[in-house]
Amino acid sequence: MNSAAKQNVDYKILIRVIAQAKPYSAVLSLAAVLAVVLAPVAIFRPYLVQVMVDEYIFKFDIPGLTTMALLFIGALVLESVLRYFFMYSSNWVGQAVVRDLRVKIFNHITSLRLSYFDRTPIGISTTRTISDIENINQVFSQGIITIIADFLTVFVVLGVMFWVSWKLTLVCLVTMPFLIAATYIFKESIKTSFQQVRAQIAKMNAFLQERLTGMRIVQIFNAEEQEMKKFKKINREYTQANIDSILAYSIFYPVVEIISAATLGLMVWYGARASLGNEVTLGALVAFPLYLNMLFRPIRMLADKFNTLQMGLVAAERVFNLIDRQDHIKNEGEISPEKFNGEVAFKNVWFAYNGLDWVLKDISFEIEKGETLALVGSTGSGKTSIISILNRLYDIQKGAIEIDGVDVREYELSAYRSRMAVVLQDVFLFSGTVLENITLRNDHISKEQVIEASKMIGAHEFIEKLPGGYDYQVMERGATLSMGQRQLISFVRALVFDPDILILDEATSSIDPESESVIQHAIETLIAKRTSIIIAHRLSTIRHADKILVMDKGLVKEYGTHEELLQIEDGKYRELYEMQFLQVGVA
Ligand code: TTP
Ligand code: MG
């Protein structure tokens, strides 16, 4: 059956979760040993009570009774100490495993290929690294070991009870089927409501995260009220899910109370008669309710613990699924050049993001060392895609991309990328200083180099004027800097890395003429003496390029020099040129 199959899978995951604790096997074994020791130690106290009643109280042995009382206290202290170490060690293992897993996941996520992030909401990746992993902790702290400890307790208690009086024990067990049935029903019903709760939390997280990121849009378009309505709806559903789970608890606990009271009643009724008939000692009669309590408590908690375990395993399954994803860009190349000469060639390249819809179709072009290629084309024609595959953010499906006559797949990935700099359309700055944003914490780049590069780009002046200069704290994503300033910082970033091949996705947004000349100068500095590919929007950039590639719907429409392309009758480039030229002429 379905649930049986599910159990099977869970079992495998359980083993894998436990395997994560391998480096901490000593502590884990300690916890397991403590669990085993705790069961008999716990049962020792009720047993002492029984002995006290039978052997001392009714025989008026007062000194003996004092010894027994001290023994009782000793047992209590021993149990408390053992319990302390047990809880501490099992929780400690859980936390240690979780800490290791977090690092593993972070490492894994940062090396996943970009197509994974195209398909997966950011919220999912954060949930995996933070809250799902936290649930795995529970597998250790509340799951397996405690469940084993509880089972052991139940068996030991039952054993002692049978040993003391099997008849009385059997009487007590009459109600057991009811308890087991109630526990089972409870377990199933809180399982569904817990899943509901978790699903609703995820929904609320995702909603909040998106709204916070897009707060500007929410406020600009006066959408607060609509968003509020949506939030209220999610909030209501979340509350309902919580209430459902509380309902299950509020039914289950009284039911268990009734069953245990009934058991106690049965036991007293039968036990008193048996005691009168001298079948059971009075001590046993006094101790039995204590045994019963020790029997009921773990059984009552088992349902809860099984669910916690189950939830931890579900979380573990998700985390393992992510860890198992082999969605990396293949890094099988072995060539690690010190430097690229700078010849780039695309040979009949075909590419699709999803493997189905061709975004680039049969693209071919060549750039010589030191040359500049301008990519031109309408929006969505595939310009950004060309540079993404050149930077190996995605793998191509057909054809070949070669640098210095060698297929890019034969280069070692990080060596390959380190010789290439990409300046993207929308500049992303991290929170940190301007300096850190330029060097990306690469220790090999000195502040002097950064300042020199800034001067060459023409960014030094404005950075100097920021409070703190190069140590100015950039707020999240550089919100406190203007678009042009961010652009300049990204240019400096590219220049200090001194790449052999420079790729630039020119910002589409138009800027004032003064900044325009600053940016123009910066771009010229950047592309001087190195192979460059520029996705160009401004005529001034395009005209300076050695070659121009006009893209249209994923195809190479025209390819050649400025002069050559202008010769083409009804050519797209010519049309584009005349349009822009007219605009410039009018302005
Ligand atoms: P792009 O290569 O991004 O087009 P572009 O850079 O020429 O456009 P713009 O001038 O606006 O910057 O996209 C080409 C096609 O690929 C487009 O139809 C959208 C699709 N695409 C994806 O499917 N997934 C992606 O991650 C990207 C970036 C694009
Ligand atoms: Mg683009």
Side-chain angles (χ1 to χ4, degrees):
M1 255 181 71
N2 199 8
S3 68
K6 179 100 186 136
Q7 289 294 322
N8 235 339
V9 175
D10 283 356
Y11 180 63
K12 269 191 212 143
I13 296 169
L14 179 63
I15 292 190
R16 194 164 164 195
V17 172
I18 297 172
Q20 304 295 315
K22 210 172 166 199
Y24 315 106
S25 52
V27 186
L28 190 65
S29 320
L30 174 72
V33 168
L34 287 172
V36 174
V37 174
L38 263 169
V41 169
I43 195 81
F44 190 53
R45 279 186 296 127
Y47 180 69
L48 273 181
V49 171
Q50 181 187 339
V51 175
M52 271 195 258
V53 172
D54 283 343
E55 305 294 328
Y56 298 91
I57 296 182
F58 282 97
K59 293 184 180 160
F60 301 105
D61 181 352
I62 303 300
L65 195 59
T66 313
T67 319
M68 289 306 277
L70 287 176
L71 203 58
F72 187 88
I73 293 173
L76 193 61
V77 171
L78 179 68
E79 193 191 332
S80 307
V81 171
L82 289 179
R83 210 167 276 285
Y84 161 80
F85 280 112
F86 172 64
M87 283 182 69
Y88 192 87
S89 55
S90 54
N91 276 283
W92 187 90
V93 171
Q95 290 296 340
V97 166
V98 162
R99 180 191 56 208
D100 292 354
L101 270 178
R102 267 192 219 109
V103 173
K104 217 182 249 178
I105 282 263
F106 184 76
N107 226 334
H108 190 77
I109 287 181
T110 49
S111 66
L112 282 175
R113 66 168 97 191
L114 277 190
S115 51
Y116 167 78
F117 299 96
D118 294 347
R119 291 189 310 262
T120 319
I122 292 180
I124 302 270
S125 302
T126 17
T127 313
R128 293 292 172 276
T129 18
I130 299 173
S131 60
D132 274 349
I133 284 199
E134 202 48 55
N135 276 327
I136 296 179
N137 169 35
Q138 296 178 341
V139 173
F140 290 95
S141 60
Q142 298 187 37
I144 35 172
I145 306 179
T146 34
I147 289 178
I148 293 171
D150 284 350
F151 267 119
L152 277 174
T153 312
V154 168
F155 283 121
V156 174
V157 172
L158 273 178
V160 172
M161 283 168 74
F162 269 108
W163 176 63
V164 172
S165 162
W166 62 271
K167 280 187 190 161
L168 204 51
T169 309
L170 283 183
V171 170
C172 294
L173 290 186
V174 166
T175 54
M176 201 45 79
F178 297 102
L179 182 64
I180 291 173
T183 307
Y184 181 76
I185 295 169
F186 170 68
K187 177 176 170 289
E188 290 304 302
S189 79
I190 53 170
K191 191 161 119 193
T192 33
S193 53
F194 270 172
Q195 276 162 354
Q196 273 293 317
V197 169
R198 288 193 57 76
Q200 295 299 337
I201 292 180
K203 218 164 148 189
M204 192 176 243
N205 271 338
F207 182 83
L208 207 59
Q209 189 156 24
E210 252 184 52
R211 300 316 115 150
L212 290 179
T213 323
M215 190 53 75
R216 229 169 243 263
I217 306 295
V218 172
Q219 295 188 351
I220 288 174
F221 287 95
N222 264 328
E224 291 99 329
E225 200 154 312
Q226 292 91 306
E227 296 302 322
M228 192 50 157
K229 271 189 202 144
K230 251 191 241 164
F231 183 77
K232 276 186 177 157
K233 181 166 175 283
I234 295 176
N235 194 22
R236 259 200 311 275
E237 286 166 357
Y238 177 42
T239 313
Q240 192 54 49
N242 269 321
I243 290 178
D244 287 348
S245 70
I246 295 168
L247 183 73
Y249 276 95
S250 56
I251 294 176
F252 178 65
Y253 280 118
V255 167
V256 171
E257 285 304 315
I258 292 171
I259 295 175
S260 54
T263 314
L264 196 64
L266 262 178
M267 187 224 97
V268 172
W269 169 75
Y270 179 84
R273 288 186 347 174
S275 173
L276 290 177
N278 268 340
E279 266 179 72
V280 181
T281 66
L282 209 54
L285 204 56
V286 174
F288 246 73
L290 300 178
Y291 292 141
L292 272 184
N293 195 25
M294 291 189 72
L295 192 64
F296 270 87
R297 208 193 35 186
I299 293 179
R300 193 177 57 198
M301 309 270 267
L302 265 178
D304 231 2
K305 284 180 183 159
F306 262 122
N307 274 318
T308 314
L309 181 66
Q310 182 98 17
M311 262 160 52
L313 291 182
V314 169
E317 188 176 8
R318 288 203 210 122
V319 169
F320 288 146
N321 274 344
L322 179 54
I323 290 183
D324 292 343
R325 277 193 95 98
Q326 286 309 317
D327 244 358
H328 305 281
I329 288 280
K330 283 201 184 66
N331 188 8
E332 290 165 352
E334 286 170 358
I335 310 174
S336 309
E338 280 290 305
K339 249 180 125 38
F340 280 143
N341 198 24
E343 293 149 23
V344 180
F346 271 52
K347 296 189 170 166
N348 310 96
V349 171
W350 290 72
F351 170 66
Y353 284 96
N354 53 14
L356 287 173
D357 306 314
W358 297 115
V359 164
L360 297 176
K361 298 167 216 165
D362 203 24
I363 305 287
S364 298
F365 63 83
E366 275 174 33
I367 318 171
E368 299 298 322
K369 174 184 167 71
E371 275 188 348
T372 300
L373 173 81
L375 286 177
V376 182
S378 48
T379 178
S381 57
K383 305 180 297 292
T384 304
S385 308
I386 286 188
I387 63 173
S388 297
I389 57 173
L390 178 57
N391 199 238
R392 298 203 60 202
L393 293 176
Y394 301 89
D395 274 331
I396 58 172
Q397 280 85 3
K398 283 194 260 180
I401 303 174
E402 291 177 2
I403 306 270
D404 298 345
V406 177
D407 193 294
V408 291
R409 283 166 284 206
E410 289 177 32
Y411 291 107
E412 197 279 322
L413 191 60
S414 65
Y416 176 81
R417 284 198 183 136
S418 71
R419 299 314 315 146
M420 210 178 268
V422 185
V423 180
L424 291 175
Q425 236 166 354
D426 38 14
V427 180
F428 192 95
L429 298 183
F430 298 92
S431 22
T433 65
V434 170
L435 188 69
E436 285 167 345
N437 263 293
I438 292 172
T439 62
L440 296 179
R441 299 175 206 271
N442 182 333
D443 298 328
H444 298 298
I445 302 169
S446 70
K447 189 167 179 181
E448 287 67 42
Q449 281 171 290
V450 171
I451 293 177
E452 192 190 312
S454 303
K455 281 184 180 155
M456 283 170 74
I457 291 287
H460 182 68
E461 218 172 294
F462 100 81
I463 297 177
E464 278 279 88
K465 281 189 196 139
L466 292 170
Y470 283 85
D471 294 323
Y472 175 72
Q473 280 289 335
V474 176
M475 291 304 150
E476 205 178 5
R477 281 178 227 173
T480 47
L481 295 171
S482 78
M483 197 80 120
Q485 290 171 330
R486 275 182 260 168
Q487 193 97 53
L488 288 177
I489 289 179
S490 73
F491 287 167
V492 180
R493 194 193 270 170
L495 191 62
V496 286
F497 277 88
D498 190 26
D500 303 322
I501 296 170
L502 180 97
I503 300 166
L504 176 72
D505 202 344
E506 205 176 54
T508 27
S509 56
S510 52
I511 31 182
D512 60 284
E514 198 184 331
S515 319
E516 165 109 18
S517 75
V518 174
I519 300 264
Q520 186 59 38
H521 162 78
I523 292 178
E524 276 164 24
T525 314
L526 267 180
I527 64 176
K529 293 188 297 222
R530 64 184 111 230
T531 308
S532 319
I533 298 178
I534 305 184
I535 298 179
H537 300 287
R538 290 167 313 148
L539 211 52
S540 50
T541 319
I542 302 170
R543 282 191 70 161
H544 285 109
D546 298 294
K547 280 177 194 157
I548 299 162
L549 185 90
V550 184
M551 295 287 302
D552 186 37
K553 301 191 186 88
L555 286 162
V556 176
K557 183 93 176 187
E558 291 159 24
Y559 177 47
T561 63
H562 175 71
E563 280 74 27
E564 283 168 2
L565 295 190
L566 279 188
Q567 299 303 315
I568 304 173
E569 290 282 335
D570 298 327
K572 196 167 163 82
Y573 181 73
R574 187 164 160 173
E575 183 190 333
L576 210 78
Y577 177 76
E578 279 165 0
M579 254 166 53
Q580 284 222 6
F581 193 67
L582 264 171
Q583 278 177 1
V584 176
V586 171

